[in-house]
């Protein structure tokens, strides 16, 4: 019995296990709250609506249709994953990259401009998106390193600057009859990411490309970089205490700038993976920053700020977001799935509180067991 209890205790104290339990708890509570909201709005369709959101592409009885729409969800989830990696990379180094949204915008602008205006192939467009978004991230890093400007403030300012600059630049490649940019399939087919047979797996979905593979590989690369390399250790040490890092001979200013540049590059890559798939075009008149970068914050925290966890959390958030399109529009608005996502996102902030409470509970339980053992 003692061995069994010790085994259970060690499992509960495992950080990964605690994160999984906390994340699942957030998801369940968020869905329950969402269901209550649906009941308040229209009780008759609440069960069907929450089921449709959870099912997403499983809504289709045909296997072919199911696989096709699953591919679309994965394409969007891959871009969300890159934004999530951008946020968690900076957070691991003690920085809050709320500028992932603006860096994503810059990446979209760079990839589409190089594709449609300069006629470059996909790999050049992707590199351009990464480099230019990294430079934008580096601006926030430099302001933080040399002038102690809070990265949250500088990132928010850059989000809006990025949006309107990209809108202005992409008017040069706008379609004549719509406010959107020219479609890549007609403007420059060489800029489309290669499918490498993935489209055949997903019932001929032409938007499924190597972007899926790139995003998962990057999650693994980020994990190895942060946890298994000397460079990653230096970055994390700088985030924990930059004065101590400086005392140990680390270049804390350089590390801060490099961190934000890498974070920016990841967000830019997410935009390239998304827009170079051809799944969407850019509306040059939009006045709001795309939500992909902000949703990356939720995916990062729901995944326990771990690159591998971010793969699953990014997919889940995109899954329920896409599932909202199958809700009966005569009963509920199209944004109802976004509302439920927002509940889950809000609850993500309690993941760490749950882990703290669980550890305190385990400590008290151990103290009681130790006291009973001493009395005997």
């Amino acid at each position: 019995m003692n061995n069994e209890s010790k085994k259970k205790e060690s499992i509960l104290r495992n950080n990964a296990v605690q994160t999984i339990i906390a994340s699942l708890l957030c998801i369940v509570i968020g869905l329950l709250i969402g269901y209550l909201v649906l009941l308040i709005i229209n009780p008759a369709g609440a069960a069907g609506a929450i089921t449709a959101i959870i099912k997403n592409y499983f809504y289709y009885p045909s296997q072919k249709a199911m696989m096709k729409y699953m591919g679309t969800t994965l394409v969007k989830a891959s871009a969300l994953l890159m934004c999530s990696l951008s946020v968690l990379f900076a957070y691991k180094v003690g920085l809050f990259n709320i500028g992932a949204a603006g860096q994503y915008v810059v990446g979209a602008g760079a990839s589409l401009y190089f594709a449609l205006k300069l006629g470059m192939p996909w790999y050049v467009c992707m590199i351009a998106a990464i480099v230019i978004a990294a430079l934008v991230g580096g601006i926030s890093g430099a302001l933080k390193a040399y002038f102690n400007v809070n990265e949250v403030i500088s990132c928010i300012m850059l989000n809006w600057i990025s949006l309107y600059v990209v809108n202005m630049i992409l008017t040069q490649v706008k379609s004549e009859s719509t406010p959107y940019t020219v479609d890549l399939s007609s403007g420059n087919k060489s800029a489309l990411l290669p499918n490498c047979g993935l489209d055949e797996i997903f019932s001929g979905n032409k938007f499924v490309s190597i972007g899926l593979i790139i995003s998962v590989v990057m999650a693994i690369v980020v994990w190895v970089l942060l946890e298994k390399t000397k460079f990653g250790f230096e970055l994390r040490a700088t985030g924990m205490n930059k004065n101590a890092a400086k005392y140990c001979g680390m270049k804390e200013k350089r590390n801060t700038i490099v961190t934000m540049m890498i974070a920016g590059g990841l967000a830019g890559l997410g935009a390239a993976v998304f827009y170079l798939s051809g799944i969407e075009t850019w509306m040059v008149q939009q006045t709001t920053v795309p939500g992909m970068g902000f949703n990356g914050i939720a995916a990062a925290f729901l995944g326990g700020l771990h690159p591998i966890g971010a793969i699953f959390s990014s997919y889940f958030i995109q899954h329920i977001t896409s599932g909202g399109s199958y809700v009966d529009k005569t009963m509920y608005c199209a944004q109802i799935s976004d509302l439920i996502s927002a509940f889950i996102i809000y609850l993500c902030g309690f993941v760490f509180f749950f882990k703290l409470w669980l550890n305190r509970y385990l400590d008290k339980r151990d103290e009681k067991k130790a006291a009973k053992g001493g009395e005997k």
Side-chain angles (χ1 to χ4, degrees), residues 197-258:
L198 292 172
D199 55 330
E200 295 177 7
I201 297 173
F202 294 95
S203 303
N205 190 330
K206 64 180 181 179
F207 304 124
V208 182
S209 66
I210 59 169
L212 270 66
I213 299 170
I214 290 172
S215 61
V216 174
V217 168
M218 286 308 301
I220 297 169
V221 169
V222 168
W223 174 67
V224 171
L225 178 64
L226 284 172
E227 303 295 337
K228 306 296 180 182
T229 65
K230 178 185 174 183
F231 177 63
F233 174 78
E234 279 197 19
L235 293 181
R236 288 186 289 112
T238 302
M240 290 177 186
N241 192 322
K242 65 179 181 180
N243 293 322
K246 183 179 180 180
Y247 179 78
C248 294
M250 300 177 188
K251 297 179 180 178
E252 83 287 355
K253 287 185 172 61
R254 183 206 65 182
N255 289 344
T256 300
I257 296 169
V258 168

Side-chain angles (χ1 to χ4, degrees), residues 44-104:
I50 197 71
T51 302
I53 290 169
I54 295 171
K55 286 176 70 174
N56 188 8
Y57 49 81
F58 290 109
Y59 175 85
Y60 295 97
S62 164
Q63 179 73 18
K64 187 175 180 180
M66 193 186 300
M67 290 301 293
K68 183 177 180 179
Y69 287 98
M70 178 184 180
T72 301
T73 299
L74 289 175
V75 171
K76 294 178 180 179
S78 61
L80 179 57
L81 172 58
M82 296 310 303
C83 292
S84 173
L85 294 174
S86 173
V87 173
L88 75 84
F89 187 90
Y91 196 87
K92 287 280 189 179
V93 190
L95 299 168
F96 187 47
N97 184 30
I98 200 171
Q103 294 147 15
Y104 178 86

Side-chain angles (χ1 to χ4, degrees), residues 7-226:
K7 188 177 180 181
K8 288 180 181 177
E9 179 183 302
S10 63
I11 291 172
L12 285 174
R13 286 194 180 275
N14 184 279
N15 185 57
V17 172
Q18 289 182 356
T19 299
I20 291 169
I21 294 171
S23 298
L24 290 174
L25 196 61
C26 289
I27 291 168
V28 171
I29 295 172
L31 290 172
L32 286 173
I33 295 172
Y35 179 63
L36 290 174
V37 172
L38 292 170
L39 283 173
I40 293 168
I41 296 172
N42 192 329
I50 197 71
T51 302
I53 290 169
I54 295 171
K55 286 176 70 174
N56 188 8
Y57 49 81
F58 290 109
Y59 175 85
Y60 295 97
S62 164
Q63 179 73 18
K64 187 175 180 180
M66 193 186 300
M67 290 301 293
K68 183 177 180 179
Y69 287 98
M70 178 184 180
T72 301
T73 299
L74 289 175
V75 171
K76 294 178 180 179
S78 61
L80 179 57
L81 172 58
M82 296 310 303
C83 292
S84 173
L85 294 174
S86 173
V87 173
L88 75 84
F89 187 90
Y91 196 87
K92 287 280 189 179
V93 190
L95 299 168
F96 187 47
N97 184 30
I98 200 171
Q103 294 147 15
Y104 178 86
V105 167
V106 169
S111 59
L112 291 174
Y113 184 83
F114 271 71
L116 297 171
K117 184 69 175 178
L118 304 180
M120 295 294 177
W122 67 269
Y123 50 87
V124 175
C125 299
M126 183 174 284
I127 292 169
I130 295 168
V131 171
I132 296 175
L135 291 174
V136 172
I139 293 172
S140 293
L143 290 171
K144 174 74 172 181
Y146 290 101
F147 303 102
N148 200 29
V149 176
N150 189 289
E151 69 276 8
V152 173
I153 295 172
S154 62
C155 282
I156 290 173
M157 298 299 105
L158 284 168
N159 283 347
W160 294 102
I161 292 170
S162 300
L163 176 65
Y164 291 113
V165 169
V166 166
N167 280 350
M168 181 177 64
I169 291 172
L170 291 185
T171 52
Q172 300 177 50
V173 292
K174 186 180 80 68
S175 172
E176 292 182 1
S177 57
T178 69
Y180 295 90
T181 54
V182 175
D183 192 270
L184 284 179
S185 58
S186 59
N188 180 12
K189 285 187 177 180
S190 68
L192 288 169
L193 292 171
N195 302 110
C196 295
L198 292 172
D199 55 330
E200 295 177 7
I201 297 173
F202 294 95
S203 303
N205 190 330
K206 64 180 181 179
F207 304 124
V208 182
S209 66
I210 59 169
L212 270 66
I213 299 170
I214 290 172
S215 61
V216 174
V217 168
M218 286 308 301
I220 297 169
V221 169
V222 168
W223 174 67
V224 171
L225 178 64
L226 284 172

